[in-house]
Amino acid sequence: MNDVAELRYNGKTYKLPVIAGSEGEKAIDISRLRAESGMITMDYGFANTGSCTSNITFMDGEKGVLRYCGIPVEQLAEKATFKETAYLLINGHLPNRRQLTDFSVLLNDHSLVHEDMKIFYQNFPRASHPMGILSAMVNALRSFYPALHESEEEINITVTRLLAKVRTMAAMSYKISLGHTVVYPRPDLAYCENFLNMMFDSPVRPYQLKPEVIKALRVFWILHADHEQNCSTAAVRVVGSSRANLYAAISAGIAALWGPLHGGANQAVIEMLTQIQKNNGDFKSAIGRAKDRNDPFRLMGFGHRVYKTYDPRAKIMKKVCDDLLGALSIQDPLLDLAVELEEAALKDPYFIDHNLYPNVDFYSGIVLRAIGIPTNMFTVMFAIGRLPGWIAQWKESMDDPNWKISRPRQVYIGETLHDFVPIDDRE
Ligand code: CMC
C-alpha cells in the first residue's frame, strides 16, 4: 500500500501521498491540496518545500554529505577533472575515453567568443561588477547564437557552447577591465589551464602554469559544480519553467548567485576579514555583532540552509588552501585571521546552538587570492564552477514528466474591496 499522510482540518481528513527518495528522504505531496480543501501551504523561503525530484545531487545536511550522481564529492575532488565532473552532472554518468575526447573537442571548438561581443565589454562602465556584466553577456549570447533547442544535438551544442564560452567571457572581461589585449583560448591546454592562461598570460610577462595552482582551481570548481535546489539553481529552473531559452535561465542563475547571502559570500568574506584586519584583528567584535539581533551583520562564510554540521566542501577547501599557500610559500595574514575567527566562533554558544559552521565560501576567497584572482571576480569563479550544475538541472527540468510552469501562490493580506477615490477628493 502506498504511504499516505493525513491532514485533519474543520472535521475533514485529507489524505496526502508520501513520496520517498532513493536515500530515504520523504516528502508529502500536496499537489491536490488546494483542489480538495481550498487551502495552500505557507513556507517562507521554501525552507521545507520540494519543487522537484532529481537524479543529480544528494545532500545530507545533518551528516555533511554531498554526492554528485551518487559519487562522493571527496572522491571527485581527489580523482576527477572538472571536465569529467561537468560531464557526469549533465549526462548522469562519468564519460568513457571516447566520450571525454568528443566532449573536449566540442569544448575546444566552441571556446571562442564572437568578436562583436568585445564591443559590449568595452562599453560597460569600468566600475561595473563582473557578475552584472556576465549575467548580461550570457543573456546576449542568445542573440549571437539564436538556434532553438529542438533536437538533442542542438541542445548539446548550446550546452557545450555555454560551458566553453562562459570561461572565455569571464577571462575576457578581466583583461578588458585592465585595458589589456584579450588572450584567446588554446587548443593544447586543458579546461582549467586554459582559463588561467587567458586570465594571466600577457605579451610582456608570459604566464607560468603551476601544477599546485591548476589543482586548486580544479578542486575549487568541482566543489562548486552543483548543490541541488539552492537559490541560483531554483532561479534557473523557475525561469526555464516558462520555457525561456537556456541562456536567459543561466543569466538569471548568475544574477541570483551574485547576492552576498549566496555566491557573493566569497567576496564578502574577504571584505569582512580585511575590515577585521583594519580593526587591528579584532575578530571578537565581529562575533559580537553577528550575535546581536539588532545588528544586520552576519558572519560571512558561516551558516547554511541545509548543512547543520561542517560543510563537507569547506573541509576540502581548507586543505586546498593550506596546500596551495604552502606550495607557493604565501603568508596570507587573512588566513591566520580566518583560522582564529573560525576557532572562536565554533566555541561560542550562539554558533553552537544555531548549528553555524564554516561553509564553502569561508576559505575559498583565500584560495582565489593566492591564485591571483581579483576580489570582484570571486563570484564569477563560483559561477563558472556552478554552470554544469545549472545546465544539468535545467536539462532535467525540461525532460520532467511532472513539469509545470513555476507559479507559487500567496495569502493576500492587503486592503479589502473599496472604491476608487477621484484625486480631488483625496486627503
Ligand atoms: N552569522 C550570524 N548568525 C547567523 C548566520 C551567520 N552567518 N547565519 C544564520 N544565522 C542565524 C540567524 O540570525 C538565525 O538566528 P535566529 O534563529 O536566532 O533568528 C538562525 O541563524 C537561522 O538563520 P536563517 O537566516 O533563518 O537561516 P537560512 O537557512 O535562511 O540562511 C544563510 C542561510 C546561508 C543565508 C545564512 O546562514 C547566512 O546569511 N550566512 C552568511 C552568508 C553566507 O556565508 N552565505 C553562503 C552560503 S554557502 C554558499 C552557497 O551555496 O550559497
Side-chain angles (χ1 to χ4, degrees), residues 123-135:
N123 286 302
F124 277 105
R126 278 290 152 98
S128 306
H129 195 283
M131 282 298 274
I133 299 178
L134 190 66
S135 177

Side-chain angles (χ1 to χ4, degrees), residues 134-136 138-142 149 158 162 166 231-257 386-387 389-395 397-398:
L134 190 66
S135 177
V138 167
N139 218 344
L141 278 175
R142 172 70 167 88
H149 325 109
T158 307
L162 265 166
V166 165
C231 179
S232 56
T233 302
V236 169
R237 280 190 181 249
V238 168
V239 173
S241 81
S242 75
R243 295 294 191 233
N245 66 81
L246 175 59
Y247 301 113
I250 300 293
S251 167
I254 295 169
L257 187 72
R386 183 55 54 87
L387 192 55
W390 287 334
I391 292 171
Q393 302 268 352
W394 173 86
K395 263 187 99 183
S397 71
M398 291 296 118

